[in-house]
């Protein structure tokens, strides 16, 4: 039996990281008896141990709540939980595409922060109704009136009717449900033909049941036994099961217009579907696909290589399954002279990279070598061609290059007034240019910078938190490519270039970085019977050098007396031998040398 559309509300909770989003979701599940007290645990929608350990939401989750209004009417509320960290903004965007409204959660003690503003802009782009909620009002440090002013001044939406809650104690949670019913509209009618159109906004892989697809139906109905078609992929499957999340998967007879749920259709290969595709009925197919959501391009790249070369296929399968679960993650095969066969992987940010790496190790038990992260450079050559370079190995000869562009971002930092000097110093060191400074209130300021992405991806976020004692927050967005004075630095060991150690860096930082890598290699490469030169070079110009001294054998030990010329002959003979050895000798670089250099920040 189809549910009346005016009794359905589809919504997300958006907030800056650690503003109480998961806690509010927990409280709503308890309040509607979706989860019993016996089954309840904190962060119940966060499935992964990684999410619970770090206290952050990584994956979007959908759950259906049944709520009886004060007038006796029963409503279906579909909550799609979203992450808060800047690296997972794509998850937020996909969730918002399946909703009509959003609860904007702001911490009463922290106020509006950088990611709060970014998430609101995402919601406004999807034309969603926004309900402001001020959380943690029970804290002694809360300042509700100031936060209301910040919501109005910084975000630009009215906070007069903002709901005051304490998600931890449950205070004000009933008012949230009233606002959901009264201020978020029900699903709109999409088309008159009533053909099936369902948006795929997420998916997971189950080893027993194949690909489980998360969908929001915009028109029509889907039920068990139907033959469905993916419009963009043009693949056909038979539906084996449909259902909803409460929060565990519960089978249903059908899903109709406006509902959110899942579909299992014997999809065995992750490549058979794509996030953002439209599902339709194969017999009465809709011609037009739903307007999905903006597909994002990875901005941070690194290489992943299995420690054991026999695990190459296992790593490939694991990456394919993770890509199904996270379509913002990309990978392609590559080879390295030093590390063998592996994959070049693309991520939205450094935390995104760390999470993928940890998931591979935990969920698939694969040990890997991960190279240091890099960004994509646009290299324009003298012949008019443009190359996209994300790996130093593919960097062309400097004599063929006309100019190079690197990705720039607009960084928004919100911090207390006391730390403005520290932020200015940090961003100056990272080649940042201050564009705008705004005073938010008597204690905080919002500073906008333009700076290269390559200067941000390693440890910039950690530095902001450290220098502001945890009170600073940041968000960034890509603004395009700008000319950059960057060079490729090659590392040579005993006169031979080792590709795995090459890196791309700004010209002003090339010497320091090259010197640092040479020092590291000197510590980890074992001494030989001959002298080893470790050199950093830009083209044919050596910019830094370290020397590993030769192991010495006392060839004059047997000479207990006599003329000094005898000893000199032996020393000269040893010197000539070492010279010949240096010409034909090979330096065996141990694996830990690659690990040490590739993981350098």
């Amino acid at each position: 039996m189809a549910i009346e559309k005016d009794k359905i509300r589809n919504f997300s909770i958006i907030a800056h990281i650690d503003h109480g989003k998961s806690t509010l979701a927990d409280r709503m599940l308890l309040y509607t008896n979706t989860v019993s007290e016996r089954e309840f645990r904190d962060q119940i929608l966060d499935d992964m141990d990684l999410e619970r350990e770090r206290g952050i939401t990584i994956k979007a989750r959908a759950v259906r709540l049944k709520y009886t209004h004060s007038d006796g009417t029963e409503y279906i509320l579909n909550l799609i939980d979203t992450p808060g960290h800047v690296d997972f903004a794509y998850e937020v965007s996909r969730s918002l595409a399946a909703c009509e409204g959003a609860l904007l959660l702001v911490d009463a003690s922290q106020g509006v922060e950088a990611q709060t503003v970014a998430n609101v802009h995402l919601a406004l782009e999807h034309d969603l109704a926004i309900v402001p909620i001020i959380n943690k009002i029970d804290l002694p440090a809360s300042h509700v009136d100031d936060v209301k002013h910040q919501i109005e001044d910084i975000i630009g939406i009215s906070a007069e009717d903002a709901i005051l809650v304490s998600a931890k104690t449950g205070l004000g949670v009933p008012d949230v449900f009233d606002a959901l019913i009264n201020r978020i509209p029900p699903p709109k009618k999409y088309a008159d033909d009533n053909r099936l159109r369902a948006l795929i906004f997420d998916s997971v892989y189950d080893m027993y049941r194949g690909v489980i697809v998360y969908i929001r139906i915009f028109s029509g109905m889907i039920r068990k036994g139907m033959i469905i078609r993916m419009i963009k992929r043009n693949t056909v499957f038979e539906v084996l099961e449909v259902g909803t999340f409460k929060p565990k998967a519960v089978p249903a007879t059908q899903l109709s217009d406006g509902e959110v749920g899942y579909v299992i259709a014997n999809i065995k290969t992750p490549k058979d579907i794509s996030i953002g595709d439209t599902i339709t009925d194969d017999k009465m197919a809709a011609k037009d696909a739903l307007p999905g959501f903006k597909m994002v391009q990875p901005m941070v790249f690194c290489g992943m290589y299995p420690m054991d070369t026999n695990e190459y296929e296992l790593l490939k399968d694991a990456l394919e399954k993770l890509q199904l679960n996270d379509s913002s993650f990309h990978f392609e095969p590559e080879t390295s002279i030093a590390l063998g066969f592996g994959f070049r992987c693309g991520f939205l940010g450094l935390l995104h990279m760390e999470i993928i790496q940890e998931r591979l190790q935990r969920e698939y038990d694969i040990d890997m070598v991960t190279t240091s992260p890099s960004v994509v450079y646009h290299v324009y050559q003298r012949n008019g061609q443009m190359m996209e370079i994300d790996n130093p190995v593919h960097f062309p000869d400097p004599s063929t290059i006309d100019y190079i562009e690197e990705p720039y971002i607009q960084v928004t930092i919100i911090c207390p007034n006391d730390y403005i000097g520290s932020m200015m110093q940090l961003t100056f060191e990272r080649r940042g240019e201050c564009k705008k400074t705004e005073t938010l209130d008597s204690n905080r300021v919002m500073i906008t910078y333009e700076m290269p992405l390559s200067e941000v991806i390693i440890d910039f976020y950690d530095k902001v938190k450290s220098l502001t004692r945890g009170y600073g927050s940041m968000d960034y967005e890509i603004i395009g490519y700008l000319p950059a004075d960057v060079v490729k630095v090659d590392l040579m060991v005993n006169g031979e270039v080792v590709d795995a150690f090459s890196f791309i860096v700004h010209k002003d930082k090339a010497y320091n970085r090259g010197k640092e890598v040479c020092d590291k290699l000197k510590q980890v490469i074992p001494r030989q019977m001959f002298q080893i030169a470790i050199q950093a070079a830009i083209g044919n110009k050596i910019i830094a050098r370290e020397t590993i001294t030769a192991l010495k054998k006392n060839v004059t030990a047997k000479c207990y007396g006599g003329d000094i010329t005898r000893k000199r002959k032996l020393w000269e003979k040893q010197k000539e031998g070492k010279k010949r050895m240096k010409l034909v000798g090979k330096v065996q670089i141990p694996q830990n040398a690659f690990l040490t250099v590739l993981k350098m920040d």
Side-chain angles (χ1 to χ4, degrees):
M1 182 178 175
I3 300 171
E4 295 179 34
K5 280 173 57 173
D6 61 349
K7 303 293 189 299
I8 299 175
R9 300 292 186 273
N10 299 318
F11 70 100
S12 284
I13 305 176
I14 55 177
H16 187 84
I17 190 170
D18 201 30
H19 275 209
K21 183 167 25 62
S22 296
T23 308
L24 179 60
D26 289 348
R27 200 58 53 197
M28 295 176 77
L29 289 170
L30 281 173
Y31 188 82
T32 56
N33 294 318
T34 305
V35 176
S36 66
E37 290 281 358
R38 183 174 62 84
E39 297 173 313
F40 177 75
R41 58 174 185 166
D42 289 338
Q43 290 178 259
I44 193 166
L45 293 182
D46 294 339
D47 286 339
M48 289 184 278
D49 292 338
L50 205 53
E51 293 177 307
R52 309 180 69 78
E53 288 172 14
R54 292 185 176 233
I56 60 174
T57 301
I58 295 168
K59 281 297 301 171
R61 280 292 312 276
V63 61
R64 172 181 284 204
L65 315 174
K66 280 188 178 181
Y67 172 71
T68 304
H69 197 253
S70 54
D71 61 6
T73 307
E74 186 176 80
Y75 289 88
I76 297 297
L77 310 176
N78 291 311
L79 162 63
I80 302 177
D81 191 27
T82 60
H85 194 278
V86 60
D87 280 9
F88 302 106
Y90 184 54
E91 291 281 337
V92 180
S93 174
R94 285 158 42 186
S95 301
L96 296 180
C99 299
E100 279 76 39
L103 303 181
L104 171 63
L105 202 62
V106 182
D107 190 323
S109 60
Q110 298 289 335
V112 173
E113 300 205 50
Q115 194 61 29
T116 314
V117 180
N119 284 337
V120 170
H121 289 163
L122 280 175
L124 293 174
E125 285 175 12
H126 288 85
D127 197 25
L128 302 188
I130 298 175
V131 179
I133 299 175
I134 300 176
N135 188 27
K136 304 186 184 180
I137 60 171
D138 56 324
L139 293 180
S142 66
H143 40 93
V144 174
D145 292 335
D146 289 343
V147 173
K148 283 185 177 181
H149 290 307
Q150 290 175 21
I151 293 173
E152 293 179 347
D153 296 342
I154 302 171
I155 298 176
I157 61 175
S158 174
E160 185 179 347
D161 298 326
I163 303 165
L164 309 182
V165 304
S166 169
K168 188 173 183 179
T169 64
L171 177 66
V173 172
D175 297 332
V176 175
F177 286 98
D178 290 337
L180 278 171
I181 303 303
N182 299 325
R183 295 161 66 177
I184 291 181
K188 299 175 184 177
K189 188 173 183 179
Y190 183 79
D192 295 326
D193 57 16
N194 207 32
R195 295 171 187 258
L196 172 62
R197 296 177 182 85
L199 176 69
I200 301 175
F201 68 86
D202 207 351
S203 60
V204 294
Y205 183 83
D206 184 282
M207 67 171 60
Y208 302 109
R209 314 186 78 181
V211 179
I212 301 175
V213 181
Y214 292 20
I215 62 168
R216 155 70 199 277
I217 299 182
F218 282 83
S219 66
M221 172 269 298
I222 189 169
R223 65 178 183 276
K224 182 179 178 180
M226 282 181 63
I227 305 298
I228 58 172
R229 178 180 294 276
M230 311 291 176
I231 290 182
K232 294 178 184 175
R233 287 279 183 176
N234 199 31
T235 50
V236 177
F237 302 97
E238 180 183 356
V239 177
L240 303 180
E241 180 180 309
V242 299
T244 57
F245 298 100
K246 298 183 180 178
K248 294 181 180 178
V250 177
T253 54
Q254 67 178 43
L255 293 176
S256 56
D257 192 359
E259 291 191 81
V260 175
Y262 69 89
V263 173
I264 299 174
N266 200 28
I267 305 169
K268 297 298 184 185
T269 308
K271 294 179 181 178
D272 287 338
I273 71 156
S274 57
I275 305 299
D277 203 347
T278 302
I279 295 177
T280 189
D281 188 347
D282 187 45
K283 293 180 180 177
M284 297 179 61
K287 294 181 180 179
D288 55 320
L290 293 166
F293 31 81
K294 183 181 178 182
M295 298 303 291
V296 295
Q297 294 296 321
M299 298 309 300
V300 177
F301 289 82
C302 79
M304 287 188 176
Y305 299 85
M307 293 281 283
D308 183 352
T309 53
N310 295 325
E311 292 185 343
Y312 175 80
E313 288 298 329
L314 292 176
L315 178 59
K316 181 180 178 182
D317 292 341
L319 291 174
E320 286 179 352
K321 290 170 184 174
L322 276 183
Q323 188 180 47
L324 173 72
N325 193 230
D326 183 357
S327 56
S328 60
F329 162 61
H330 294 263
F331 71 94
E332 59 184 30
E334 75 167 3
T335 57
S336 165
I337 297 173
L339 301 174
F341 293 98
F343 298 91
R344 195 72 182 168
C345 303
F347 312 89
L348 298 183
L350 196 66
L351 178 64
H352 189 201
M353 186 185 87
E354 289 178 9
I355 293 298
I356 292 292
Q357 185 180 357
E358 282 203 47
R359 290 185 66 186
L360 285 169
Q361 291 172 338
R362 292 185 182 210
E363 297 174 24
Y364 301 97
D365 195 26
I366 298 174
D367 292 324
M368 298 170 302
V369 178
T370 305
T371 66
S372 55
S374 62
V375 300
V376 180
Y377 295 92
H378 287 176
V379 179
Y380 292 85
Q381 297 179 284
R382 298 186 190 278
N383 60 8
Q385 292 183 337
M386 190 273 282
M387 300 174 63
E388 291 190 349
I389 303 295
D390 60 50
N391 189 340
V393 174
H394 304 139
F395 205 81
D397 188 281
S399 62
T400 67
I401 297 174
D402 187 10
Y403 65 98
I404 303 171
E405 291 182 343
E406 65 176 328
Y408 264 69
I409 57 174
Q410 180 175 286
V411 180
T412 303
I413 299 175
I414 296 178
C415 68
N417 294 335
D418 296 343
Y419 302 108
I420 293 176
S422 300
M423 288 299 97
M424 292 285 189
Q425 179 65 27
L426 174 63
T427 51
F428 176 76
E429 293 171 357
R430 303 300 177 94
R431 297 190 283 141
E433 182 180 349
C434 183
K435 290 296 182 182
K436 186 168 58 175
T437 304
E438 297 178 62
T439 302
L440 302 183
D441 51 42
S442 59
N443 297 318
R444 299 195 307 161
V445 66
M446 181 165 70
I447 317 171
T448 304
Y449 295 94
E450 288 183 5
M451 58 197 305
L453 177 61
S454 59
E455 300 286 353
V456 174
I457 59 172
I458 302 292
D459 59 351
F460 187 78
Y461 182 75
D462 294 336
K463 291 284 188 184
V464 169
K465 284 293 183 183
S466 175
L467 292 172
T468 61
R469 299 186 181 181
Y471 291 109
S473 65
M474 66 161 280
D475 179 52
Y476 66 84
E477 60 178 337
I478 304 297
I479 58 174
Y481 278 76
L482 293 174
D485 192 7
V486 296
V487 292
K488 176 192 176 185
V489 178
D490 288 315
L491 267 293
M492 296 188 293
V493 177
N494 200 29
E496 293 184 7
V497 175
V498 184
D499 286 342
F501 294 145
S502 300
F503 56 90
I504 301 172
V505 68
H506 191 267
K507 192 173 183 179
D508 293 344
K509 299 184 177 183
Y511 169 74
N512 290 333
R513 174 72 175 174
K515 180 71 173 171
E516 185 182 359
V517 176
C518 288
D519 286 341
K520 284 284 184 183
L521 286 176
K522 182 181 179 180
Q523 296 170 21
V524 294
I525 293 178
R527 293 168 68 191
Q528 307 287 329
M529 292 300 294
F530 53 89
Q531 181 177 286
I532 302 172
I534 302 172
Q535 298 166 308
I538 301 174
N540 295 322
K541 182 182 178 182
I542 305 299
I543 60 170
R545 171 179 171 137
E546 291 291 336
T547 302
I548 301 176
T549 56
L551 289 170
K552 293 182 179 179
K553 180 182 178 182
N554 189 359
V555 293
T556 60
K558 59 185 179 181
C559 300
Y560 49 86
D563 190 0
I564 188 66
T565 55
R566 186 180 176 197
K567 291 185 178 181
R568 284 177 179 163
K569 284 181 181 178
L570 290 171
W571 286 332
E572 286 298 322
K573 187 177 179 181
Q574 182 186 41
K575 187 177 179 181
E576 289 297 320
K578 287 196 173 186
K579 191 179 291 185
R580 288 195 304 273
M581 190 184 295
K582 186 176 182 180
L583 291 174
V584 299
K586 291 286 185 181
V587 179
Q588 296 296 323
I589 302 176
Q591 188 72 18
N592 70 313
F594 294 105
L595 296 176
T596 302
V597 174
L598 294 175
K599 291 188 176 183
M600 282 175 59
D601 288 343

